[in-house]
């Protein structure tokens, strides 16, 4: 495997080709370009595996904490999407922006936010990445330029489009990446956002994580055009699809997409993944057959990628053991940290309604009266 | 007469109405294969097939609007919006189509449909998934808004809503789905627009709807036992139309009122109840009407913060005691 | 010109071809199919001209009444869209359903609603098609199966989709036609509706009346894919575009579209028109150049079509005069009728809030108190 | 100091702020080439170019959400939503993004933006285009909602809104655009969250906002001349936060109140005002707080029906007289 510097893969020329190809919307070409011999070196491959294993162990730990009632609310996991996440984020610069949805733990830690702070957020503690105010669905970190996970399906799309607008307004050269699920392509915000981005030439990469299901509803039952990346044609937007079980393929396709966006050509990238478990931790996924689940296990992207690296001699058993062990430690350390972190003080309840203090803001606890009881006025008092 | 959960009552009633009337069908996200986020529609796809139980894309505006259009042609859709938070995306269709079509066209087209959706809070779902925005519907002429607090009312009001020729917003509540209660076997629909005196009393009127009406009954019972207080509980049942006479009559008798709501206090549903009482029972009221509501913040995820922001049983009891104090000081 | 029976033009075979062509989204083919020698007979051509002239005179009369303050609110005219309207509606059966937007007077009268009732609606009188409750933007007539003009951009699209759902639910064979403007293709409801219709195979024809402008914003400034009919590809929906200044071309294209919809293949039809005046009666359209306005005058579809019929000997000067005269009379009769029609009684104000009487409905006039003032109770009374 | 229209004050202030701060830009439908449906942005495209004055597709949810995202990165968008009716399509972005982002992420991102939009009614625009739904915003913690009734406040509040670091819903009114008044030359922003005593008086407190505050001043003046009545007029100016102290202090002095609103009475903005007064001034109030509001119907197009459904000056005067009667009967 050619060990080429990653930067080289983002030359305008290459990306332009990618774009033109995609714009013709000819699937095979896109597929080929995505599957073309990758330019990532062995170190990067190991980095991918390490990050994937971190996501895997983190999510497994989160699931356990949830069943122990240490985590509340909804909890959506990235199990099965590890390869997609690491490939996507590797193609971004530190200065680029990321918007995601409620299925985001893996994005947060891969983007470089310390797992302790992500787990603490799940536990609702002050050391959480959103100080405990957001929880699983709402992680935000300015330094990592993760501008939020959002719980309303499609809600992140107009916001990311606007971030692209701000970048363009300032003539700076960051790129915005925003991820969404397959089911999200059927909501109005998808249409309005992509049209605006294409119309105004905004530096945004729209990523569809196609895990084939909404909650229990399959793509063909929700999207009249199930080849989702093709929907870019309604906006004359470049697009491509890629196998999300292969981090290098995802990285290559994303590199093309990001380069395109950086040249003010927004891009729609569809990443084919699998959701290994239920929609959220509480979903037993009864709607799936035993065979299906068997298949999923067999094609588990983390195991598959590990096998590949072992076969290619990029990874040896010892190193793998070390990495896996290190990932397990990361996860249990994160849980330990989270459990030790204190809950936010109730006295802070009214600190985040407004960024600018404002007179007459209602800072009333449910038990408090609107007006303190007064002495009954005497006739004179009137 | 049988004792079942609020969830079961909804499921059984929806099923019975679908068996009774070919024109009734269920439509919404994940109500079929997934059997509903809160399982109200469990089993219905198997029994009625995909035409009567229609899984939709994630497109609240599109499928709610489609249900309105189908109702214009005489069908009786029962829409499920997964939680009331997501209904914001369908609000234009509900307010500008469903609520307007009958009047705006001079009474030529009815819109016989039901929109079922749960409110909630207290489940650590965070700021965007824990809102109680029934106000947005209760405010709109042309809509009817009902909010059952018991399994029996869940049945009687769902029957009424499905058989009504106007669009009805049917408010459910996540915290009520597992509550149990007696449900009569007969199919007598409730009368939309009528409140119920859930518990007669003379010392103070405690008013609630949906989950807070359940709270109100619990608290009244508890205070009867602990303090021998005789509290009258009013379950609004219908937010639009609002049964002002029942509310005012009660306060004319008790001379004091506390209103419970799960939404934000300022401009919340309770504001209208308090204003109504303060007007209609002006000369009978011996203390200000007290409202117990959520703290006015984007609801935090973290448990202690969320708990602090939501009204507790102790908050309600404190409000009642303080109100009775205030009455005492004026008598 | 071959005088073929209209029905022949709607054979499954022909429509299927049309559909397949469109589905490949190859513009020229669509254009050709639209421009193919029409099968309408001379009687139909005269009918088209007559209806077009009726719309023209009706709208001119409405504009005058508006400036005389006999009509209030917003008033959007169909001037320039006459050919499109008559071609579209001719392809519908009496039993088919029509949804439109706020620019609808021409649809109402062409669909067979008496012009008197349409004008009376504009005047806000009881004899109005919506009893005076709707006005210019909100015409509704059950017998004509005009299921409403709607003022919220895109609001009519989910409703029409649902009407298609009801037809499919009942296994009956009506078709729903819904019209929208070019600017309306950029709103979320467009995307959600077309996806649902295609997914569920609903009998709906979505018609884009592309008059090249929103209010003052041109298509290229609002739609990233300015060839609007191509947006059907995001839903694997059949589509075509047609010259809206030629009623026969519109009729032919619509016949194909309607036949497709009747076979449960929803269709997107783009009709290219011109808006001769401002967005609404009050808009001076300052954003248009004198040259533009000149051009518009020259290509006025009503005059162009008249010239064509005269040249082809389908129409002679006398007949034209008779038709024009008759149209002018229709318009002034409508105005006279409207002016004589009484206003609705204020006592009916609360009659249309609910279809089912309901206890405790607030039927309060603004001047009335919520509670009748009571005698002050004596201590005893308490 | 100069006498200009409400429209002119908005235009001049927006222009001045765009000149003052590069980060301020205008975005909305038809605000550029078309110069705005109500011409507030007339001339700005020519002066500032398409980057600072951005015409959008018809996509309220999309461009409002985009403005929110741009504000997260530090720009200061001033969004125009053509009329408040259309804001229903952007409501999810405003309620679930703009109002939540600061709190939901623990105070990490500000959303400094303004959404300008006019309410109205009385223009025969029909049921879907004549609604006054400021309630939907005033109800939401995280949003600030201001509603100027004079050209001077239009300037002072728009200055405050644009310079505020929180999302501000700026309510305008079709009927006020052409009204004139004195506007100071200096650039002193108003303080959001403060009401104004627009006219001091002792006989009764008359409360309004936006158009109804204008009405209130007119009526008070007229009754001073005709009946020698001394009415105190309160212009709320800010619906969220709501300046309860100013309202309550006034009523403690006058012992009577009438609330004017252009929305529907039940659950409308006036309900909170009435509830607030009835609570905070409980022992001072000599008659029930009277609300004057729209009839609760989908507003008809036909002029006589529309006129009957909307509050008139006579309705207000009748309400004031009846309230003073009621006071008299209790003194
Ligand atoms: C507007 C809205 N509607 C419904 C929901 C409930 N919901 C949460 S996730 C989800 C499925 C989303 O599927 P997809 O877009 O494929 O993302 P995935 O969860 O598969 O990653 C739904 C319906 C929501 N959060 N927001
Ligand atoms: C949701 C919404 N946004 C804005 C408006 C205001 N508005 C009315 S018509 C119109 C332009 C529509 O353009 P197009 O779709 O091309 O239709 P046309 O008027 O040209 O026939 C706009 C922006 C509206 N009525 N509804
Ligand atoms: Mg999915
Ligand atoms: Mg147009």
């Amino acid at each position: 495997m050619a060990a080429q510097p990653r930067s080289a893969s983002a030359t305008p020329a290459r990306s332009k080709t990618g774009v033109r190809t995609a714009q013709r919307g000819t699937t095979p070409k896109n597929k080929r370009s995505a599957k073309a011999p990758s330019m990532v070196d062995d170190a990067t491959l190991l980095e991918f595996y390490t990050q994937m294993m971190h996501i895997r162990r983190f999510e497994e730990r989160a699931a356990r904490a949830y069943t122990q009632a240490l985590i509340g609310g909804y909890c959506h996991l990235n199990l099965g999407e590890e390869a997609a996440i690491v490939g996507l984020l590797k193609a971004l610069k530190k200065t680029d922006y990321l918007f995601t949805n409620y299925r985001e733990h893996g994005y947060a830690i891969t983007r470089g936010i310390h797992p302790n702070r992500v787990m603490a957020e799940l536990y609702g503690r002050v050391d959480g990445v959103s100080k405990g105010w957001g929880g699983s669905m709402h992680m935000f970190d300015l330094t990592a330029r993760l501008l939020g996970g959002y719980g309303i399906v499609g809600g992140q799309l107009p916001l990311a489009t606007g971030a692209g607008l701000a970048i363009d307004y300032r003539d700076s050269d960051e790129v915005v990446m925003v991820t969404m699920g397959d089911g999200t392509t059927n909501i109005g915000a998808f249409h309005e956002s992509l049209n605006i981005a294409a119309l105004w030439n905004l530096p945004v990469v729209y990523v569809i994580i196609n895990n084939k299901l909404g909650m229990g509803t399959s793509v063909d039952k929700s999207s009249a055009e199930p080849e989702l990346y093709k929907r870019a044609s309604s906006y004359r937007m470049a697009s491509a699809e890629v196998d999300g079980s292969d981090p290098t393929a995802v990285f290559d396709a994303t590199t093309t997409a990001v380069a395109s966006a950086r040249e003010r050509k927004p891009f729609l990238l569809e990443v084919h993944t699998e959701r290994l478990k239920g929609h959220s931790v509480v979903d037993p996924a009864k709607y799936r057959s035993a065979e299906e689940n068997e298949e999923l296990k067999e094609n588990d992207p983390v195991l598959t990628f590990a096998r590949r690296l072992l076969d290619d001699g990029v990874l040896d058993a010892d190193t793998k053991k070390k990495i896996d062990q290190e990932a397990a430690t990361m996860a249990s350390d994160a849980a330990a940290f989270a459990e030790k972190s204190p809950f936010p003080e109730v006295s802070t309840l009214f600190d985040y309604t407004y960024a600018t203090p404002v007179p007459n803001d209602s800072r009333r606890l449910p038990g408090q009266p609107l007006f303190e009881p007064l002495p009954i006025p005497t006739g004179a008092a009137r | 007469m049988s004792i079942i959960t609020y969830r079961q009552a909804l499921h059984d009633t929806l099923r019975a109405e679908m068996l009774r009337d070919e024109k009734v069908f269920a439509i919404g996200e994940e109500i079929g294969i997934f059997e509903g986020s809160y399982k109200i529609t469990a089993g219905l796809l198997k029994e009625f097939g995909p035409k009567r139980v229609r899984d939709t894309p994630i497109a609240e505006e599109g499928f709610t609007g489609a249900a309105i259009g189908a109702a214009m042609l005489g069908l009786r859709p029962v829409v499920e919006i997964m939680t009331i938070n997501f209904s914001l995306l369908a609000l234009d269709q509900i307010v500008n189509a469903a609520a307007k079509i009958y009047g705006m066209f001079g009474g030529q087209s009815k819109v016989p449909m039901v929109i079922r959706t749960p409110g909630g809070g207290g489940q650590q779902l965070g700021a965007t998934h824990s809102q109680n925005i029934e106000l947005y519907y209760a405010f709109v002429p042309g809509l009817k808004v009902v909010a059952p607090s018991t399994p029996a009312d869940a049945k009687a009001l769902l029957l009424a809503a499905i058989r009504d020729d106007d669009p009805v917003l049917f408010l459910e509540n996540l915290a009520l789905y597992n509550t149990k209660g007696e449900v009569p076997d007969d199919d007598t629909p409730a009368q939309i627009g009528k409140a119920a005196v859930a518990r007669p009393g003379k010392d103070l009127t405690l008013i609630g709807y949906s989950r807070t009406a359940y709270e109100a009954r619990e608290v009244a019972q508890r205070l009867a036992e602990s303090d021998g207080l005789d509290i009258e509980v009013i379950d609004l049942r219908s937010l639009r139309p609002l049964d002002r006479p029942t509310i005012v009559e009660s306060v004319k008798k008790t001379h004091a009122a506390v209103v419970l709501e799960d939404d934000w206090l300022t401009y919340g549903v309770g504001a209208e109840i308090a204003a109504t009482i303060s007007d209609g029972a002006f000369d009978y009221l011996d203390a200000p009407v007290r409202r117990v509501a959520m703290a006015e913040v984007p609801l935090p995820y973290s448990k202690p913060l969320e708990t602090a922001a939501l009204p507790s049983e102790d908050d309600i009891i404190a409000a009642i005691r303080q109100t009775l104090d205030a009455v005492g000081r004026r008598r």
Side-chain angles (χ1 to χ4, degrees), chain A, chain B:
Chain A
M1 179 166 318
Q4 233 175 304
R6 187 157 48 78
S7 59
S9 69
T11 59
R14 190 179 173 294
S15 78
K16 277 231 191 63
T17 330
V19 176
R20 264 194 249 96
T21 315
Q23 237 162 3
R24 286 208 210 80
T26 55
T27 328
K29 260 237 179 75
N30 292 330
K31 280 214 172 103
R32 239 182 287 112
S33 83
K35 295 238 181 297
S38 169
M39 312 116 298
V40 301
D41 53 28
D42 293 0
T44 309
L45 292 172
L46 287 178
E47 180 190 351
F48 282 157
Y49 176 70
T50 308
Q51 292 176 326
M52 287 167 67
M53 187 50 76
H54 275 238
I55 298 174
R56 174 61 54 97
R57 294 287 175 254
F58 185 92
E59 294 293 57
E60 287 167 349
R61 193 68 187 74
R64 205 164 93 226
Y66 189 91
T67 55
Q68 298 166 327
L70 292 164
I71 298 175
Y74 296 140
C75 191
H76 311 83
L77 306 177
N78 288 123
L79 296 173
E81 302 175 354
E82 297 87 351
I85 293 170
V86 304
L88 282 167
L89 299 195
K90 181 73 175 175
L92 289 180
K93 293 188 186 171
K94 280 252 156 301
T95 49
D96 292 332
Y97 295 94
L98 175 67
F99 288 76
T100 70
N101 61 11
Y102 46 83
R103 192 182 298 282
E104 63 177 322
H105 311 161
Y107 292 89
I109 61 175
T110 307
R111 189 64 180 160
I113 302 171
H114 198 294
N116 291 2
R117 296 182 55 225
V118 178
M119 191 67 82
E121 187 59 37
L122 296 179
Y123 280 57
R125 311 302 174 101
V126 300
D127 296 307
V129 60
S130 299
K131 300 204 181 82
W133 279 65
S136 168
M137 302 196 288
H138 307 115
M139 307 257 174
F140 188 104
D141 186 85
L142 220 43
T143 50
R145 298 212 165 178
L146 168 61
L147 293 198
Y150 294 84
I152 303 294
V153 161
Q156 72 276 25
L157 302 176
L159 301 175
T161 306
L165 172 62
I167 291 166
D168 183 64
Y169 190 92
R170 295 203 176 102
D171 273 319
S172 55
D173 82 334
E174 301 92 3
V175 161
V176 179
M177 173 183 286
V178 57
T179 67
M180 75 191 93
D182 44 279
T184 304
T185 62
N186 301 304
I187 204 156
F190 171 86
H191 180 65
E192 296 189 6
S193 300
L194 270 69
N195 182 58
I196 288 172
L199 196 64
W200 296 347
N201 305 308
L202 303 180
V204 184
V205 177
Y206 297 90
V207 178
I208 302 167
I209 302 295
N210 183 349
N211 61 10
K212 305 181 176 51
L213 290 169
M215 287 168 70
T217 306
S218 57
V219 170
D220 59 302
K221 282 196 165 52
S222 60
S223 302
E225 171 48 272
E227 293 185 87
L228 303 174
Y229 73 95
K230 290 187 176 176
R231 288 184 152 173
S233 69
S234 272
Y235 321 103
R236 293 197 178 173
M237 189 186 286
S239 72
E241 63 177 342
V242 64
D243 171 5
S245 70
D246 175 355
T248 60
V250 174
F251 167 68
D252 293 346
T254 310
T255 302
T256 305
V258 170
S260 169
R262 224 176 282 285
E263 295 161 7
R264 300 293 193 267
K265 298 202 195 73
F267 199 98
L268 178 65
L269 179 64
E270 179 181 6
V271 184
H272 296 281
T273 66
E274 297 281 358
R275 199 190 70 200
L276 296 184
K277 299 273 184 223
H279 170 67
S280 73
V281 177
V282 296
D283 170 22
K286 291 211 194 89
Y287 43 86
R288 266 178 171 165
S289 66
E291 300 73 49
E292 257 176 295
N293 288 321
E294 255 326 295
E295 232 176 80
L296 287 173
K297 272 218 194 66
E298 276 161 26
N299 305 323
D300 182 323
V302 177
L303 307 187
T304 319
F305 188 59
R307 270 197 299 275
R308 173 176 139 195
L309 295 194
L310 290 166
D311 297 349
D312 298 355
V314 178
L315 181 66
D316 60 56
D318 290 357
T319 322
K320 179 173 186 308
K321 201 156 169 209
K322 226 177 96 289
I323 294 173
D324 297 0
Q325 185 46 55
E326 192 274 326
T329 314
M330 172 280 302
S332 46
D333 289 355
F337 174 87
E339 207 155 0
K340 273 196 230 64
S341 174
F343 283 104
E345 291 297 329
V346 168
S347 61
T348 63
L349 182 62
F350 298 104
D351 292 0
Y352 299 121
T353 314
Y354 296 108
T356 320
V358 61
N360 298 311
D361 177 23
S362 167
R363 300 168 71 88
R364 215 195 84 270
L365 284 168
Q368 295 170 340
L370 255 182
F371 300 91
E372 285 313 317
L374 300 160
I376 313 300
T378 67
R382 314 182 29 166
Chain B
M1 185 72 86
S2 54
I3 294 183
I4 57 173
T5 62
Y6 188 96
R7 170 185 285 106
Q8 190 70 43
L10 291 171
H11 169 277
D12 296 354
T13 307
L14 177 55
R15 178 173 175 275
E17 286 297 282
M18 287 177 71
L19 286 169
R20 182 187 60 81
D21 183 351
E22 259 287 336
K23 297 198 290 304
V24 176
F25 70 102
I27 178 169
E29 289 164 10
E30 306 288 352
I31 63 172
I33 296 159
F34 195 80
E35 302 203 302
S37 263
Y38 300 103
K39 308 301 171 202
I40 309 303
T41 54
L44 297 185
L45 174 62
K46 263 193 219 65
E47 180 171 5
F48 293 96
K51 191 178 114 176
R52 306 283 305 280
V53 179
R54 212 174 261 267
D55 274 322
T56 69
I58 306 169
E60 280 77 8
E61 184 183 11
F63 71 74
T64 305
I68 298 167
M72 290 173 76
L73 262 67
L75 298 186
R76 295 185 162 273
V78 179
V79 176
E80 173 173 304
I81 294 183
M82 207 175 280
T83 82
I84 199 169
N85 303 281
F86 313 143
S87 73
L88 285 177
L89 288 155
L91 194 62
D92 172 71
Q93 283 293 320
I94 299 169
V95 170
N96 282 326
K100 301 291 189 291
I101 281 168
Y102 186 70
M104 187 166 68
F105 298 129
Q108 296 182 81
S109 178
K110 297 173 177 178
V111 181
M113 72 185 295
V114 180
I115 299 172
R116 292 181 37 245
T117 189
Q123 324 250 329
Q124 281 192 272
L125 300 181
T128 64
H129 281 53
S130 308
Q131 298 170 102
N132 291 292
I133 51 177
E134 51 273 18
L135 171 76
Y136 286 5
Y137 302 97
F139 177 59
V140 181
L143 293 179
K144 294 168 180 174
V145 180
V146 298
S149 74
T150 66
D153 272 355
K155 174 178 182 175
L157 282 166
L158 186 54
L159 283 172
I162 291 175
R163 298 175 187 186
D164 197 281
D165 277 343
D166 290 305
V168 180
L169 193 290
F170 189 93
L171 182 70
E172 305 174 359
N173 189 288
L174 300 183
L176 289 178
Y177 282 139
N178 292 331
T179 58
K180 289 190 165 182
E182 283 193 342
V183 175
D185 302 327
D186 69 284
D187 277 4
T188 321
Q191 192 176 15
I192 294 175
K194 290 279 199 189
V197 176
R199 185 183 194 288
K202 55 175 181 23
D203 297 338
L204 176 144
T205 302
L206 188 60
I207 302 160
Y209 62 95
S210 191
R211 194 197 70 85
T212 60
Y214 175 94
E215 269 296 277
R217 287 190 302 270
E218 298 282 308
V219 168
Q221 189 50 42
R222 194 171 131 186
L223 287 177
E225 288 156 9
S226 61
D227 305 34
L229 278 176
D230 186 15
I231 293 175
E232 177 148 307
V233 174
I234 291 188
D235 182 346
L236 294 176
R237 297 167 89 233
S238 168
L239 295 180
R240 181 166 207 96
L242 177 64
D243 185 351
R244 288 190 168 97
T246 299
I247 299 167
V248 169
E249 279 321 301
S250 171
V251 178
K252 281 183 174 177
K253 183 178 69 179
T254 63
H255 307 294
V258 171
V259 181
L260 311 182
E261 57 192 318
D262 271 340
D263 60 355
W264 296 301
L265 185 139
T266 304
Y267 302 108
V269 165
E272 180 56 62
I273 314 303
T276 290
I277 293 168
S278 304
D279 183 348
F282 185 81
D283 293 302
Y284 298 81
L285 208 49
D286 287 340
V289 178
R290 174 71 172 269
R291 291 177 269 167
V292 181
M294 265 182 66
E296 298 184 38
V297 297
L299 197 64
Y301 162 79
S302 185
K303 195 65 195 169
L305 289 180
E306 186 190 46
T307 304
L310 298 175
S312 68
E313 204 168 282
D314 291 349
D315 293 328
I316 299 170
I317 289 169
I320 291 170
R321 292 228 166 91
Q322 289 164 23
T323 302
L324 290 174
D325 277 2
V327 168
R329 287 185 292 118
R330 283 187 187 75
R331 282 229 179 112

